[in-house]
Amino acid sequence: MTAVLKFCVSFALYMQLTLLSVCINADKQTESAVMKPLHTAACDETSTLKLDFYNIMIGNCKPGGRWEETLSTVELERLNPAKIVQLYKRCKGKGFATALKPYLIDFLKRRETFQTVLDMFVDALNEEEKSNELGRDSALPSILLELSPKDIFVALFEVTPEAAHSRLVALHATLKCGIPLVYVLQPSLRQSRTVVNFSALQEVLASPSYPLVVSCGSENAIGRGKSNLTGRLVGQLQTSSLSSDSFDIQTSGGIGTPTHSPSIDLVLDVKANWKGGLNFADVHGFTLEEDFCYALSTLCSVAALVLVHITT
Protein backbone atom coordinates (compact mmCIF):
# COMPACT_ATOMS: atom_id res chain seq x y z
CA MET A 1 0.00 0.00 0.00
CA THR A 2 2.88 2.36 0.84
CA ALA A 3 4.49 1.68 -2.55
CA VAL A 4 1.24 2.48 -4.35
CA LEU A 5 0.86 5.74 -2.42
CA LYS A 6 4.43 6.77 -3.24
CA PHE A 7 3.80 6.04 -6.93
CA CYS A 8 0.60 8.14 -6.91
CA VAL A 9 2.36 11.08 -5.27
CA SER A 10 5.34 10.83 -7.64
CA PHE A 11 3.08 10.65 -10.67
CA ALA A 12 1.05 13.64 -9.42
CA LEU A 13 4.23 15.72 -9.02
CA TYR A 14 5.38 14.67 -12.48
CA MET A 15 2.07 15.73 -14.04
CA GLN A 16 2.17 19.01 -12.12
CA LEU A 17 5.62 19.82 -13.50
CA THR A 18 4.49 18.77 -16.97
CA LEU A 19 1.47 21.07 -16.75
CA LEU A 20 3.63 24.00 -15.65
CA SER A 21 6.01 23.30 -18.52
CA VAL A 22 3.12 23.34 -21.00
CA CYS A 23 1.90 26.66 -19.62
CA ILE A 24 5.37 28.22 -19.80
CA ASN A 25 5.96 27.00 -23.35
CA ALA A 26 2.55 28.22 -24.44
CA ASP A 27 3.28 31.66 -22.99
CA LYS A 28 6.35 31.91 -25.20
CA GLN A 29 4.31 31.44 -28.35
CA THR A 30 3.14 34.41 -30.34
CA GLU A 31 -0.14 35.98 -29.30
CA SER A 32 -1.72 35.19 -32.65
CA ALA A 33 -0.94 31.51 -32.25
CA VAL A 34 -2.35 31.33 -28.73
CA MET A 35 -5.49 33.32 -29.55
CA LYS A 36 -6.22 31.55 -32.84
CA PRO A 37 -9.86 30.40 -32.67
CA LEU A 38 -10.90 26.82 -33.27
CA HIS A 39 -13.33 26.90 -36.19
CA THR A 40 -15.35 23.81 -35.41
CA ALA A 41 -19.07 23.31 -35.18
CA ALA A 42 -18.86 22.23 -31.53
CA CYS A 43 -16.77 25.30 -30.65
CA ASP A 44 -19.19 27.67 -32.42
CA GLU A 45 -22.17 26.02 -30.73
CA THR A 46 -20.56 26.26 -27.30
CA SER A 47 -19.58 29.91 -27.85
CA THR A 48 -23.14 30.75 -28.88
CA LEU A 49 -24.51 29.02 -25.77
CA LYS A 50 -22.06 30.91 -23.53
CA LEU A 51 -22.91 34.21 -25.26
CA ASP A 52 -26.67 33.68 -24.91
CA PHE A 53 -26.20 32.77 -21.26
CA TYR A 54 -24.22 35.93 -20.58
CA ASN A 55 -26.63 38.25 -22.38
CA ILE A 56 -29.82 36.76 -20.97
CA MET A 57 -28.80 35.92 -17.40
CA ILE A 58 -26.10 38.52 -16.65
CA GLY A 59 -26.16 41.28 -19.26
CA ASN A 60 -24.16 44.47 -18.91
CA CYS A 61 -25.85 45.59 -15.70
CA LYS A 62 -23.43 46.77 -13.02
CA PRO A 63 -23.84 44.90 -9.71
CA GLY A 64 -25.64 47.12 -7.26
CA GLY A 65 -28.43 47.39 -4.75
CA ARG A 66 -28.56 47.25 -0.97
CA TRP A 67 -26.90 43.86 -0.64
CA GLU A 68 -26.66 44.10 3.17
CA GLU A 69 -30.45 44.27 3.41
CA THR A 70 -30.92 41.52 0.81
CA LEU A 71 -28.63 39.11 2.66
CA SER A 72 -30.13 39.82 6.09
CA THR A 73 -33.84 39.52 5.24
CA VAL A 74 -36.14 36.76 4.04
CA GLU A 75 -38.19 37.05 0.83
CA LEU A 76 -41.82 36.53 1.85
CA GLU A 77 -43.12 36.00 -1.70
CA ARG A 78 -42.20 32.58 -3.05
CA LEU A 79 -40.99 32.13 -6.60
CA ASN A 80 -43.31 30.30 -9.01
CA PRO A 81 -43.55 29.74 -12.80
CA ALA A 82 -45.96 32.66 -13.30
CA LYS A 83 -43.62 34.99 -11.38
CA ILE A 84 -40.70 33.83 -13.52
CA VAL A 85 -42.51 34.87 -16.70
CA GLN A 86 -43.43 38.20 -15.13
CA LEU A 87 -39.84 38.93 -14.03
CA TYR A 88 -38.41 37.98 -17.42
CA LYS A 89 -40.77 40.32 -19.25
CA ARG A 90 -39.86 43.08 -16.82
CA CYS A 91 -36.10 42.76 -17.50
CA LYS A 92 -36.75 42.49 -21.28
CA GLY A 93 -34.43 39.52 -21.75
CA LYS A 94 -31.29 41.20 -20.33
CA GLY A 95 -29.81 40.48 -16.91
CA PHE A 96 -32.50 38.03 -15.81
CA ALA A 97 -30.44 37.05 -12.75
CA THR A 98 -30.75 40.61 -11.40
CA ALA A 99 -34.55 40.28 -11.37
CA LEU A 100 -34.28 36.83 -9.74
CA LYS A 101 -31.61 37.85 -7.20
CA PRO A 102 -33.82 38.34 -4.08
CA TYR A 103 -35.46 34.95 -4.66
CA LEU A 104 -32.17 33.16 -5.40
CA ILE A 105 -30.52 34.51 -2.27
CA ASP A 106 -33.60 33.45 -0.32
CA PHE A 107 -33.17 29.90 -1.66
CA LEU A 108 -29.59 29.89 -0.33
CA LYS A 109 -30.64 31.19 3.08
CA ARG A 110 -33.29 28.48 3.27
CA ARG A 111 -30.62 25.93 2.25
CA GLU A 112 -32.50 24.93 -0.88
CA THR A 113 -30.62 24.08 -4.07
CA PHE A 114 -31.20 25.84 -7.37
CA GLN A 115 -32.53 22.65 -8.93
CA THR A 116 -35.95 23.82 -7.74
CA VAL A 117 -35.51 27.00 -9.80
CA LEU A 118 -34.62 24.93 -12.87
CA ASP A 119 -37.75 22.84 -12.37
CA MET A 120 -39.78 26.06 -12.29
CA PHE A 121 -38.14 27.12 -15.56
CA VAL A 122 -39.38 23.86 -17.12
CA ASP A 123 -42.89 24.40 -15.78
CA ALA A 124 -42.92 28.01 -17.01
CA LEU A 125 -41.76 26.99 -20.49
CA ASN A 126 -44.41 24.26 -20.61
CA GLU A 127 -47.05 26.85 -19.80
CA GLU A 128 -45.59 29.08 -22.52
CA GLU A 129 -45.85 26.21 -24.98
CA LYS A 130 -49.53 25.83 -24.19
CA SER A 131 -49.95 29.57 -24.74
CA ASN A 132 -48.30 29.25 -28.16
CA GLU A 133 -50.93 26.71 -29.14
CA LEU A 134 -53.51 29.39 -28.38
CA GLY A 135 -51.72 31.87 -30.65
CA ARG A 136 -49.89 33.83 -27.96
CA ASP A 137 -46.25 34.86 -28.27
CA SER A 138 -43.65 33.10 -26.11
CA ALA A 139 -41.64 35.22 -23.67
CA LEU A 140 -39.12 32.78 -22.20
CA PRO A 141 -36.01 31.62 -24.16
CA SER A 142 -35.30 27.91 -24.55
CA ILE A 143 -31.77 28.36 -23.15
CA LEU A 144 -33.33 28.19 -19.67
CA LEU A 145 -33.62 24.44 -20.29
CA GLU A 146 -29.85 24.21 -20.86
CA LEU A 147 -28.84 25.60 -17.46
CA SER A 148 -27.52 23.81 -14.38
CA PRO A 149 -27.60 24.84 -10.70
CA LYS A 150 -24.00 25.92 -11.14
CA ASP A 151 -24.98 28.31 -13.97
CA ILE A 152 -27.64 29.88 -11.76
CA PHE A 153 -25.11 30.49 -8.97
CA VAL A 154 -22.56 31.95 -11.40
CA ALA A 155 -25.16 34.36 -12.76
CA LEU A 156 -26.17 35.36 -9.22
CA PHE A 157 -22.52 35.82 -8.28
CA GLU A 158 -21.91 38.08 -11.28
CA VAL A 159 -24.84 40.42 -10.53
CA THR A 160 -23.97 40.69 -6.82
CA PRO A 161 -21.59 43.44 -5.58
CA GLU A 162 -18.05 42.24 -4.87
CA ALA A 163 -18.37 43.19 -1.20
CA ALA A 164 -21.02 40.47 -0.81
CA HIS A 165 -19.19 37.70 -2.69
CA SER A 166 -17.63 36.08 0.38
CA ARG A 167 -20.98 35.96 2.16
CA LEU A 168 -22.67 34.56 -0.93
CA VAL A 169 -20.10 31.77 -1.26
CA ALA A 170 -20.43 30.97 2.45
CA LEU A 171 -24.20 30.55 2.03
CA HIS A 172 -23.66 28.31 -1.00
CA ALA A 173 -21.09 26.23 0.90
CA THR A 174 -23.72 25.23 3.48
CA LEU A 175 -25.46 23.22 0.74
CA LYS A 176 -22.37 21.01 0.37
CA CYS A 177 -22.44 21.75 -3.37
CA GLY A 178 -19.49 22.36 -5.65
CA ILE A 179 -18.37 26.01 -5.42
CA PRO A 180 -17.42 27.53 -8.82
CA LEU A 181 -13.81 28.54 -8.20
CA VAL A 182 -12.86 29.28 -11.82
CA TYR A 183 -15.12 29.73 -14.85
CA VAL A 184 -15.11 31.46 -18.24
CA LEU A 185 -17.74 33.95 -19.42
CA GLN A 186 -18.38 35.04 -23.00
CA PRO A 187 -19.54 38.70 -23.15
CA SER A 188 -19.14 38.64 -26.96
CA LEU A 189 -18.07 36.22 -29.69
CA ARG A 190 -14.64 37.88 -29.82
CA GLN A 191 -14.14 38.29 -26.08
CA SER A 192 -14.00 35.91 -23.13
CA ARG A 193 -13.33 36.57 -19.46
CA THR A 194 -11.85 34.11 -16.94
CA VAL A 195 -13.08 34.58 -13.37
CA VAL A 196 -10.97 33.28 -10.46
CA ASN A 197 -12.71 33.43 -7.08
CA PHE A 198 -9.89 32.79 -4.59
CA SER A 199 -10.65 36.01 -2.70
CA ALA A 200 -14.36 35.14 -2.41
CA LEU A 201 -13.47 31.83 -0.72
CA GLN A 202 -11.56 33.43 2.14
CA GLU A 203 -14.46 33.01 4.56
CA VAL A 204 -15.04 29.31 3.85
CA LEU A 205 -11.30 28.52 3.81
CA ALA A 206 -10.43 30.53 6.93
CA SER A 207 -10.77 27.57 9.29
CA PRO A 208 -8.40 24.56 9.22
CA SER A 209 -9.18 22.51 6.15
CA TYR A 210 -8.86 18.93 4.95
CA PRO A 211 -6.25 17.76 2.40
CA LEU A 212 -6.95 18.82 -1.17
CA VAL A 213 -7.35 16.37 -4.06
CA VAL A 214 -7.26 17.83 -7.58
CA SER A 215 -9.09 15.85 -10.28
CA CYS A 216 -8.26 16.72 -13.89
CA GLY A 217 -8.12 14.91 -17.21
CA SER A 218 -6.73 14.81 -20.70
CA GLU A 219 -8.47 16.50 -23.63
CA ASN A 220 -10.20 13.25 -24.62
CA ALA A 221 -11.59 12.86 -21.10
CA ILE A 222 -13.94 15.83 -21.60
CA GLY A 223 -17.54 14.63 -21.57
CA ARG A 224 -16.53 11.03 -20.79
CA GLY A 225 -17.80 10.92 -17.20
CA LYS A 226 -14.74 12.11 -15.27
CA SER A 227 -16.86 14.01 -12.76
CA ASN A 228 -19.26 11.06 -12.46
CA LEU A 229 -16.33 8.78 -11.68
CA THR A 230 -14.99 11.23 -9.10
CA GLY A 231 -18.44 11.47 -7.56
CA ARG A 232 -18.65 7.66 -7.33
CA LEU A 233 -15.22 7.53 -5.70
CA VAL A 234 -16.36 10.11 -3.18
CA GLY A 235 -19.52 8.08 -2.61
CA GLN A 236 -17.36 5.08 -1.69
CA LEU A 237 -15.34 7.20 0.74
CA GLN A 238 -17.92 9.33 2.47
CA THR A 239 -20.06 8.47 5.45
CA SER A 240 -22.57 11.30 4.98
CA SER A 241 -24.29 11.97 1.67
CA LEU A 242 -23.56 15.05 -0.41
CA SER A 243 -26.10 17.01 -2.40
CA SER A 244 -26.84 15.66 -5.87
CA ASP A 245 -25.49 18.97 -7.21
CA SER A 246 -22.07 18.44 -5.63
CA PHE A 247 -20.42 17.65 -8.93
CA ASP A 248 -21.27 19.55 -12.07
CA ILE A 249 -22.39 16.87 -14.54
CA GLN A 250 -22.20 17.70 -18.22
CA THR A 251 -25.54 17.65 -20.01
CA SER A 252 -26.33 15.26 -22.84
CA GLY A 253 -26.28 16.33 -26.46
CA GLY A 254 -22.54 16.78 -26.97
CA ILE A 255 -22.20 20.21 -25.34
CA GLY A 256 -22.02 21.14 -21.70
CA THR A 257 -23.89 23.77 -19.76
CA PRO A 258 -22.69 27.39 -20.31
CA THR A 259 -20.17 27.50 -17.44
CA HIS A 260 -19.20 23.81 -17.42
CA SER A 261 -15.97 23.90 -19.42
CA PRO A 262 -13.41 25.19 -18.88
CA SER A 263 -13.96 25.58 -15.15
CA ILE A 264 -12.84 24.40 -11.72
CA ASP A 265 -15.28 23.49 -8.93
CA LEU A 266 -14.33 23.14 -5.28
CA VAL A 267 -16.16 20.62 -3.07
CA LEU A 268 -15.32 21.20 0.60
CA ASP A 269 -15.33 18.96 3.68
CA VAL A 270 -16.16 15.62 2.08
CA LYS A 271 -16.52 13.30 5.06
CA ALA A 272 -14.63 10.04 4.60
CA ASN A 273 -14.46 6.68 6.32
CA TRP A 274 -11.46 7.71 8.35
CA LYS A 275 -10.69 10.47 10.82
CA GLY A 276 -11.08 13.73 8.93
CA GLY A 277 -12.08 14.18 5.30
CA LEU A 278 -11.13 15.62 1.93
CA ASN A 279 -11.54 18.70 -0.26
CA PHE A 280 -11.95 18.13 -4.00
CA ALA A 281 -11.04 20.48 -6.86
CA ASP A 282 -12.83 19.14 -9.95
CA VAL A 283 -11.31 20.48 -13.18
CA HIS A 284 -13.52 20.56 -16.29
CA GLY A 285 -11.65 21.07 -19.56
CA PHE A 286 -8.61 23.30 -20.00
CA THR A 287 -7.60 26.61 -21.54
CA LEU A 288 -4.21 28.28 -22.01
CA GLU A 289 -5.61 31.52 -20.63
CA GLU A 290 -3.16 32.89 -18.03
CA ASP A 291 -5.58 33.18 -15.09
CA PHE A 292 -6.88 29.62 -15.57
CA CYS A 293 -3.34 28.18 -15.70
CA TYR A 294 -2.36 30.21 -12.62
CA ALA A 295 -5.35 28.92 -10.65
CA LEU A 296 -4.75 25.31 -11.67
CA SER A 297 -1.03 25.41 -10.90
CA THR A 298 -1.78 27.01 -7.51
CA LEU A 299 -4.20 24.22 -6.62
CA CYS A 300 -1.75 21.54 -7.73
CA SER A 301 1.04 23.12 -5.68
CA VAL A 302 -0.94 22.72 -2.43
CA ALA A 303 -2.74 19.46 -3.27
CA ALA A 304 -2.06 16.28 -1.36
CA LEU A 305 -2.89 14.27 -4.49
CA VAL A 306 -3.58 15.02 -8.17
CA LEU A 307 -5.83 12.56 -10.01
CA VAL A 308 -5.24 12.56 -13.77
CA HIS A 309 -7.93 10.88 -15.89
CA ILE A 310 -6.48 9.74 -19.22
CA THR A 311 -8.81 8.66 -22.06
CA THR A 312 -7.40 7.57 -25.39
Side-chain angles (χ1 to χ4, degrees):
M1 186 66 182
T2 303
V4 174
L5 181 61
K6 287 183 178 179
F7 171 78
C8 291
V9 173
S10 300
F11 183 71
L13 292 174
Y14 167 75
M15 291 303 300
Q16 177 183 338
L17 293 175
T18 303
L19 175 63
L20 291 175
S21 176
V22 170
C23 295
I24 293 173
N25 291 334
D27 188 55
K28 293 180 181 179
Q29 297 178 7
T30 62
E31 182 178 357
S32 60
V34 174
M35 298 300 294
K36 183 177 180 181
L38 297 175
H39 297 288
T40 64
C43 181
D44 292 341
E45 191 173 2
T46 302
S47 297
T48 301
L49 180 65
K50 288 178 178 289
L51 178 61
D52 290 343
F53 166 76
Y54 185 88
N55 289 333
I56 293 173
M57 295 300 296
I58 301 172
N60 295 320
C61 302
K62 293 184 178 180
R66 302 177 61 180
W67 62 268
E68 301 96 336
E69 180 178 340
T70 303
L71 289 174
S72 60
T73 59
V74 176
E75 183 65 39
L76 297 179
E77 184 182 10
R78 297 290 285 172
L79 192 63
N80 56 65
K83 188 67 177 180
I84 287 174
V85 176
Q86 180 184 346
L87 292 173
Y88 186 80
K89 290 180 178 179
R90 184 183 303 173
C91 72
K92 299 179 180 179
K94 297 288 185 180
F96 189 28
T98 300
L100 292 171
K101 181 162 62 173
Y103 302 94
L104 298 180
I105 292 178
D106 191 58
F107 269 89
L108 292 179
K109 288 186 290 190
R110 296 176 187 271
R111 297 192 176 185
E112 297 182 33
T113 71
F114 290 146
Q115 183 58 49
T116 304
V117 179
L118 298 180
D119 293 339
M120 291 183 187
F121 285 170
V122 174
D123 293 339
L125 282 161
N126 288 337
E127 289 297 323
E128 288 282 289
E129 186 176 351
K130 293 179 182 178
S131 298
N132 291 341
E133 295 175 357
L134 298 176
R136 302 171 188 170
D137 294 332
S138 175
L140 298 177
S142 59
I143 190 179
L144 296 181
L145 297 176
E146 302 287 340
L147 304 183
S148 68
K150 173 182 173 180
D151 297 320
I152 301 297
F153 179 78
V154 167
L156 174 62
F157 189 88
E158 287 294 316
V159 300
T160 303
E162 185 176 352
H165 282 176
S166 294
R167 179 59 180 151
L168 199 62
V169 168
L171 285 172
H172 191 262
T174 62
L175 301 177
K176 297 300 181 182
C177 296
I179 302 172
L181 175 63
V182 183
Y183 53 86
V184 178
L185 297 175
Q186 190 94 30
S188 69
L189 287 175
R190 295 181 176 273
Q191 177 190 7
S192 63
R193 174 165 61 91
T194 301
V195 181
V196 181
N197 292 325
F198 278 127
S199 59
L201 267 70
Q202 289 179 356
E203 186 172 338
V204 297
L205 295 178
S207 57
S209 187
Y210 296 128
L212 175 66
V213 175
V214 177
S215 174
C216 56
S218 63
E219 181 179 1
N220 290 336
I222 298 176
R224 300 293 184 87
K226 176 180 65 65
S227 297
N228 277 330
L229 175 60
T230 305
R232 290 181 179 275
L233 291 174
V234 172
Q236 294 295 324
L237 298 175
Q238 67 192 38
T239 56
S240 59
S241 60
L242 284 172
S243 163
S244 60
D245 302 327
S246 294
F247 290 92
D248 174 41
I249 307 303
Q250 191 175 27
T251 59
S252 59
I255 60 173
T257 56
T259 62
H260 175 81
S261 178
S263 69
I264 303 176
D265 299 333
L266 195 61
V267 185
L268 300 174
D269 300 343
V270 178
K271 304 300 181 183
N273 291 325
W274 61 78
K275 186 177 180 180
L278 297 170
N279 293 329
F280 271 88
D282 196 16
V283 184
H284 310 285
F286 182 75
T287 175
L288 291 175
E289 201 279 329
E290 182 179 359
D291 289 339
F292 189 93
C293 293
Y294 165 76
L296 182 55
S297 61
T298 299
L299 290 172
C300 289
S301 67
V302 298
L305 179 66
V306 178
L307 297 176
V308 182
H309 303 256
I310 300 176
T311 302
T312 57

